[in-house]
C-alpha cells in the first residue's frame, strides 16, 4: 500500500526523472574518460559500502515481528557510528563543533 502511494507521488516522479537525466548525461562516456572522484564522493561511496556490509553482517533475527526485528537496532547503531565518521571526514571542524552544541 505504501509502495503504491510512493509510486504515484511527486517525489517518485522527480527521483525517476533525476536518474534518467543522470543516465542521459553520461550516455556514450567511457569510465576511463571520467576524472577521478573528489574526496567527498569517495567518502560517500565508502560510507554507503560500509552500510551495505552492515546489512550483510547483521541479518534479521528469526523472531516474532510484532514490534519489528531487533537486529534493526544493531544496524541503526552501526548507521550512527558510520554517519559520524562520514560527517567528520567531509565537514570542517568548525561545523562539527557547532553541530555538537
Amino acid at each position: 500500500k505504501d509502495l503504491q502511494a510512493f509510486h504515484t507521488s511527486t517525489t517518485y516522479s522527480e527521483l525517476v526523472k533525476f536518474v534518467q537525466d543522470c543516465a542521459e548525461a553520461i550516455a556514450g562516456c567511457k569510465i576511463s574518460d571520467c576524472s577521478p572522484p573528489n574526496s567527498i564522493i569517495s567518502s560517500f561511496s565508502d560510507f554507503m559500502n560500509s552500510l551495505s556490509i552492515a546489512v550483510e553482517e547483521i541479518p534479521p533475527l528469526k523472531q516474532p515481528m510484532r514490534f519489528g526485528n531487533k537486529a534493526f537496532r544493531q544496524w541503526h547503531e552501526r548507521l550512527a557510528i558510520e554517519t559520524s565518521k562520514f560527517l567528520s571526514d567531509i565537514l570542517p571542524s568548525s561545523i562539527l563543533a557547532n553541530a555538537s552544541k
Side-chain angles (χ1 to χ4, degrees):
K1 183 177 178 179
D2 290 337
L3 186 57
Q4 291 172 342
F6 176 64
H7 282 170
T8 60
S9 71
T10 303
T11 302
Y12 177 80
S13 298
E14 290 175 359
L15 182 60
V16 169
K17 175 79 170 111
F18 172 75
V19 171
Q20 288 172 337
D21 289 348
C22 289
E24 289 172 11
I26 62 167
C29 296
K30 295 179 185 176
I31 292 177
S32 60
D33 293 340
C34 297
S35 59
N38 67 31
S39 63
I40 293 176
I41 298 299
S42 294
S43 292
F44 182 73
S45 179
D46 292 344
F47 171 67
M48 295 305 291
N49 284 332
S50 69
L51 296 182
S52 180
I53 290 167
V55 168
E56 299 299 322
E57 291 178 347
I58 308 170
L61 301 173
K62 294 183 191 308
Q63 65 172 42
M65 297 292 176
R66 182 169 181 195
F67 297 108
N69 197 291
K70 292 180 182 177
F72 179 75
R73 291 180 188 169
Q74 293 173 317
W75 186 87
H76 189 267
E77 288 171 6
R78 177 89 57 93
L79 170 67
I81 292 166
E82 295 298 329
T83 299
S84 293
K85 288 180 191 175
F86 170 63
L87 292 177
S88 67
D89 285 347
I90 66 165
L91 295 176
S93 57
S94 60
I95 292 176
L96 290 171
N98 288 334
S100 64
K101 291 181 181 179

